């Protein structure tokens, strides 16, 4: 069940909200939490019930591991953590990377090995990361191990189980008493949740999908593109991904808010970033936090001395791993490496105080690197990415526009349906406030009422016109 | 404004907005889905694919006794009536067998089709993928969607005597204009002639479904402008002789046969390589009016070029085309 489906918007979410409110009135202690856990498991099992085995298996195993870590003194404690991390990475690799690893073995031993196709449990990348953070936090004694009930509720919580925001147990678990309280969320919180949900829905259904038709056409017809069209296609994909994932995150945060739980924000107008460092402070913020805390810092610590050079190496390694986390393909590794190089140069530039670029140039350079990364992120394989790069820097066909009409499916009505949202999307991404800012500044007024109503109505209109696409991050 | 009032007002406005649009869609009913479509003549805006899909739910089976089914090759064919049956043109831009089966399937429970012309062309069989989300189009799209909104907008403009600058798909499905690719004979890729087994299975099931309901199915190989045909002659012939034997027996009219060479060589009949213009469409109409009535009494017809004999060898004896 996707957030951008009528099943979710009109049935699941309202039903969970109403039943949770009713559960608050039951004499049973923690009835709302029991109900939320059941609803989350139902939500997760909805597309493919067997996946529940993978999720619950992972929850149970990590709950046991955390208790084992907590009950063991050093130095064995560290070994158990290492074992836990290997098990989690192995679990993720079994579903995501096995065929990638075996696929690359022939280059070394000239022998083809095929791993069995195990399928891809939805959200495995996210719930595995969540639990890795939980285990490390337990190891560092930042957190007491949870009860199985709390741990299962935290990991499987339906707003973020499939695609984040990646949340830390500490932050969510301390809100469970509020979840179980009789009062429930205030009407201010509910109004803010509805406002944020409407913004997220329109970002996904109208804005992201409007850019996706350009990206889909462009990446499917790379050889035909002029340099200008190549840049337009990659920029359209960057905007599609931004609106898609930030829209998803907004809906996830809003869904949790309806139940009185605050999950961390994930995006903050990243397209306006003036540096790569700033970009990663604004783009997929929860993943950035994970990379910084659980990858970059341990890698940096493993060097004897923290210098600009070791920091650069740590950044490169951490970003390449983060790239690979997105998918089993060299294109993702290169995407991560490009960002790693960008960040390392940015750190060096900042530290050395070489010179301060004008704002417009900083933005342009940053957006150039972002686009460069997305060439690899979206391309089917390395050769497609390289072909696109050659088109983007093709001096013989710089300003051709012969594909523009075809990008809209060759249908005039599509130009109207998609061009208006695209213009609105450009304004929202580069000029307007982020939805996170808007939600924080939210005040019940006629203006916000008009915005929320219009966003919901327009988004539902597009949704029922069968033009909505699945979320991009479901594939990761 | 209090948060409580804001929340209730917003939910109420969303509900009212949906209800209002749905109510006006019910009144206008552009696809004949909600009120009795009998006797109505519904020309609709938006892409032909969606329009024809939605109209085929009730409007087409209620008002027509015959179908022309195929990819864009036959979109411009203007067959109003054939052997007394009012014909609806279901031809789709880029339409393939899977989509045609999907579209026609929804009409069958209500329909009493006397005749169906199924156009055989490579674009219909080189993939069985659905496009434009046809396979997931809910009936509610006829109640609340962008295209219904376009109709509502046009309705309001008309009420204000303002011209709405959009073409409609006519009430019999025949489309006057198609995107043209010129008349230059260019060799086409092997991929163009690839026959997807799933598409063949879909064509087969479509034919069988129609035949089992007493519909006379006639296969038609559409005319291709001679220069374009010649540039790919072997591939077209191989395509026809590979595909037709895999389909259920039915008469075949082959416009790529030698007796139609004059028609195919006449540039005034064509919009581009694969699409006839109004002039060509009128001639096709006349030819079909001459050829089809005998077929209803089990007389077989086919082009007389070499592949026809190969095709005829695979036809059932009572329906086999003569060469």
């Amino acid at each position: 069940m996707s957030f951008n489906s009528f099943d979710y918007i009109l049935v699941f979410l309202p039903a969970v909200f109403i039943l949770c409110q009713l559960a608050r009135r039951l004499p049973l202690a923690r009835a709302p939490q029991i109900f939320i856990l059941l609803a989350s498991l139902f939500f997760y099992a909805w597309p493919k019930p067997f996946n529940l085995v993978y999720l619950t298996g992972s929850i149970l195993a990590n709950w046991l591991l955390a208790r084992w870590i907590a009950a063991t003194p050093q130095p064995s404690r560290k070994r158990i953590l290492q074992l836990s991390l290997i098990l989690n990475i192995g679990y993720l690799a079994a579903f995501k990377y096995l065929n990638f690893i075996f696929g690359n073995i022939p280059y070394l031993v000239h022998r083809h090995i095929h791993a069995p196709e195990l399928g891809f449990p939805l959200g495995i990348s996210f719930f595995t990361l969540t639990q890795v953070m939980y285990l490390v936090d337990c190891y560092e004694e930042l957190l007491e191990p949870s009860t199985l009930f709390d741990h299962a509720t935290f990991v499987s919580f339906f707003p973020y189980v499939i695609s984040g925001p990646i949340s830390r147990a500490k932050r969510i678990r301390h809100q469970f008493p509020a979840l179980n309280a009789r009062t429930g969320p205030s009407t201010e919180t509910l109004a803010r949740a509805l406002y944020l949900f409407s913004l997220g829905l329109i970002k996904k259904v109208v804005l992201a999908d409007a850019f996706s038709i350009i990206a889909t056409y462009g990446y499917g017809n790379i050889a035909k593109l002029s340099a200008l069209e190549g840049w337009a296609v990659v920029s359209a994909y960057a905007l599609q991904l931004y609106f898609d994932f930030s829209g998803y995150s907004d809906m996830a945060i809003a869904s949790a808010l309806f139940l009185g739980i605050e999950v961390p924000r994930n995006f903050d107008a990243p397209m306006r970033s003036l540096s790569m460092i700033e970009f990663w402070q604004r783009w997929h913020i929860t993943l950035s936090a994970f990379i910084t805390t659980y990858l970059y810092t341990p890698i940096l610590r493993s060097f004897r001395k923290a210098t600009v050079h070791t920091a650069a190496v740590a950044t490169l390694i951490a970003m390449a791993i983060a790239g690979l986390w997105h998918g089993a393909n060299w294109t993702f590794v290169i995407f991560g490496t490009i960002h790693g190089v960008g960040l390392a140069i940015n750190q060096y530039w900042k530290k050395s105080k070489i010179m301060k670029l004008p704002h417009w140039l900083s933005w342009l350079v940053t957006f150039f690197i972002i686009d460069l990364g997305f060439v690899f992120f979206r391309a089917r394989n390395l050769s497609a990415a390289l072909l696109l790069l050659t088109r983007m820097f093709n001096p013989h066909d710089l300003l051709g526009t012969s594909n523009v009409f075809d990008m809209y499916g060759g249908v005039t009505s599509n130009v109207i349906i998609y061009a208006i949202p695209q213009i609105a999307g450009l304004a929202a991404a580069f000029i307007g406030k982020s939805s996170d800012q808007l939600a924080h500044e939210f005040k019940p007024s006629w203006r916000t009422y008009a915005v929320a109503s219009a966003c919901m109505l327009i988004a539902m209109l597009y949704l029922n016109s069968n033009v909505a696409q699945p979320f991009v991050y479901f594939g990761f | 404004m209090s948060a409580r009032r804001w929340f209730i007002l917003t939910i109420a406005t969303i509900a009212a907005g949906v209800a209002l649009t749905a109510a006006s869609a019910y009144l206008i009913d552009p696809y004949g889905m909600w009120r009795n479509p009998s006797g109505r003549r519904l020309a609709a805006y938006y892409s032909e694919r969606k329009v024809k899909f939605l109209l085929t739910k009730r409007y087409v089976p209620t008002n027509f006794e015959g179908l022309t089914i195929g990819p864009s090759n036959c979109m411009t064919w203007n067959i109003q009536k054939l052997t007394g049956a009012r014909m609806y043109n279901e031809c789709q831009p880029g339409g393939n067998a899977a989509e045609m089966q999907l579209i026609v399937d929804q009409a069958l429970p209500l329909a009493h089709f006397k005749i169906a012309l199924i156009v055989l062309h490579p674009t219909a069989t080189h993939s069985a993928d659905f496009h434009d989300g046809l396979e997931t189009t809910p009936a509610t799209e006829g109640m609340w969607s962008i295209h219904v909104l376009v109709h509502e907008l046009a309705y309001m403009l008309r009420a204000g005597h303002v011209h709405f600058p959009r073409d409609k798909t006519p009430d019999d499905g025949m489309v006057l204009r198609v995107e043209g690719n010129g008349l230059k004979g260019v060799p086409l890729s092997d991929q163009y002639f690839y026959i997807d087994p799933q598409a063949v299975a879909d064509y087969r099931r479509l034919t069988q479904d129609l035949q089992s309901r007493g519909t006379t199915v006639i296969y038609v190989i559409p005319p291709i402008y001679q220069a374009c045909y010649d540039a790919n002659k072997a591939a077209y012939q191989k395509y026809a002789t590979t595909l037709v034997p895999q389909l259920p027996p039915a008469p075949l009219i082959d416009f790529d046969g030698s007796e139609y060479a004059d028609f195919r060589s006449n540039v005034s009949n064509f919009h581009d390589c694969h699409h006839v213009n109004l002039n060509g469409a009128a001639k096709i109409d006349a030819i079909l009016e001459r050829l089809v009535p005998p077929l209803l009494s089990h007389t077989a017809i086919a082009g007389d070029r070499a592949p026809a004999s190969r095709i005829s060898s695979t036809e059932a004896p009572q329906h086999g085309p003569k060469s």
Side-chain angles (χ1 to χ4, degrees), chain B residues 31 41-44 48-56 59-61 63-70 74-75 77 79-82 85-92 103-104 113 115-117 169-175:
Chain B
Y31 305 110
R41 296 177 72 86
L42 297 175
E48 293 87 10
R49 298 165 69 80
K50 268 284 159 68
V51 163
K52 289 181 179 177
F53 180 83
L54 293 171
L55 285 171
T56 306
Y59 169 71
V60 173
N63 292 292
F64 296 86
E65 299 87 37
L67 296 175
T68 309
I69 304 162
C74 50
M75 273 170 66
W77 294 9
I79 311 163
Q80 300 280 328
K81 267 192 174 179
L82 207 53
R86 274 197 72 199
M87 299 290 287
Y88 188 81
N89 187 321
E90 289 281 18
C91 304
Q92 297 276 328
I103 290 170
V104 176
F113 295 129
I115 188 164
L117 304 176
T169 299
D171 57 16
D172 60 358
M174 179 261 184
V175 174

Side-chain angles (χ1 to χ4, degrees), chain B residues 123-203:
Chain B
T123 46
T125 48
H126 66 197
S127 127
D129 297 337
F130 295 106
H131 303 109
D132 294 345
L134 279 189
E135 81 281 21
T136 53
T137 300
T140 50
E141 260 197 70
M143 182 67 84
W144 162 256
S145 58
I146 296 168
H147 28 294
V148 169
L149 199 69
V150 170
H151 281 93
E152 289 165 341
L153 183 67
Y155 188 84
M156 282 191 286
L157 290 175
R158 271 202 308 275
H161 303 287
V162 179
H163 171 66
F164 187 68
R166 281 292 315 276
D167 288 336
K168 282 180 174 178
T169 299
D171 57 16
D172 60 358
M174 179 261 184
V175 174
L176 292 171
R177 289 184 304 177
V178 288
E179 295 296 329
N181 291 320
L183 286 160
K184 209 170 157 192
V186 179
L188 298 163
S189 67
D190 289 346
Q191 180 59 32
Y192 187 84
F193 293 96
Y194 170 72
I195 300 175
D196 185 329
Q198 183 56 48
V200 177
D202 290 332
Y203 247 154

